[in-house]
Each structure stands twice: as C-alpha cells, then as structure tokens.
Amino acid sequence: MTDQVVDLDARLATQRASVARMRELLAKAGSVSEVSQVESELTRREADLESMESRRAALGGQVALSTVVVQATKEVAPAAKPVVADKADFLSGLTGGWGAFGDVVNGLATAFGAALPFLVTLGVAGWIYLYIRRKRRKPAPRPALADNEVQG
C-alpha cells in the first residue's frame, strides 16, 4: 500500500504542474474560443487533481492506521571450539575405538528393534502355514509286511 501512496504522490506533483501550466495558458489566451478551450481543459485537469488528492488522503489514512509487524531475532554465533593439538597415541585410539564400538552396537540394536515386528509376524504366519500343512497331509500308507518278516 505504501508503494501506491508513493506512486500517487508522483502523479499528484505532475498533475499540479499541469494545472499550473493551463492557468498560465488561460492568462495568455487572446480569443474567446481559446479561453473556452483552455477553461474546459483546465476544469478537466482540476477535477482529476481533486480526485487524486481525495484518493491520496484516503490511502494516507489507511497507511497511517496500518499495522506494522517487526520481528527481530538475534543470531548467536556458535562458540569457537578450542584448538586441541592432534595427538595420536594409544589412549586417544582406545577412546575412539570404544566410541565406534558403541555406535555399531547402537546401530545393530536399532536395526534389530526395527526388524523385530516383521520377524514376529513372519514367524507366526510360518508356524500357522506349517500347522495347517501337517493337518492336511494324509498319513503315508505303511508298507505291507512280507511273509518272511516276523511281526513283533
């Protein structure tokens, strides 16, 4: 809305200059027809000027009563890390190794926890499948005993 006010202010300045030029022409007009033409144009330009001034007053009131929102944030720079000399010794290697070991164990535990519901579901479905399959299977016929075999 502020840009509309600025634009209207520029157009008002131009229109005021135009009205002033028309008044000068009116003062220099020699014949009745020239006076009539200049007066007609001057009246039209003055009406346009008054219309623009009314719009400017209305917009000025709106701009004056408009809400301005300001949001200020403070960005805190991260604290500088102290410079530590890079020492490669047994203790720093051991510390790094334990950290890596903990990361691997944590990653494996996370993966197992994520896979566990799927494993349980597949296990239950597999057990049901095997149970139904055993129940439906017909028992295999026993081979007939030969005459020379002794029944025990």
Side-chain angles (χ1 to χ4, degrees), residues 50-104:
E50 288 175 9
S51 172
M52 280 189 231
E53 286 174 340
S54 297
R55 275 195 314 196
R56 169 60 177 93
L59 279 176
Q62 289 176 358
V63 168
L65 297 176
S66 64
T67 303
V68 176
V69 178
V70 177
Q71 184 177 10
T73 59
K74 182 177 180 182
E75 214 171 293
V76 179
K81 293 182 181 178
V83 178
V84 178
D86 190 17
K87 289 186 189 177
D89 59 0
F90 175 76
L91 191 57
S92 64
L94 185 62
T95 304
W98 274 112
F101 178 73
D103 291 343
V104 168

Side-chain angles (χ1 to χ4, degrees), residues 6 11 17 21 23 27 31 39 43 46-47 53 66 83 86 88 90 94 96 104 116 128 138 147:
V6 171
R11 289 179 34 207
R21 282 192 308 269
R23 286 186 179 144
S31 68
E39 269 188 349
T43 303
E46 283 177 337
E53 286 174 340
S66 64
V83 178
D86 190 17
F90 175 76
L94 185 62
V104 168
L116 189 60
I128 291 172
K138 294 180 182 176
D147 290 336

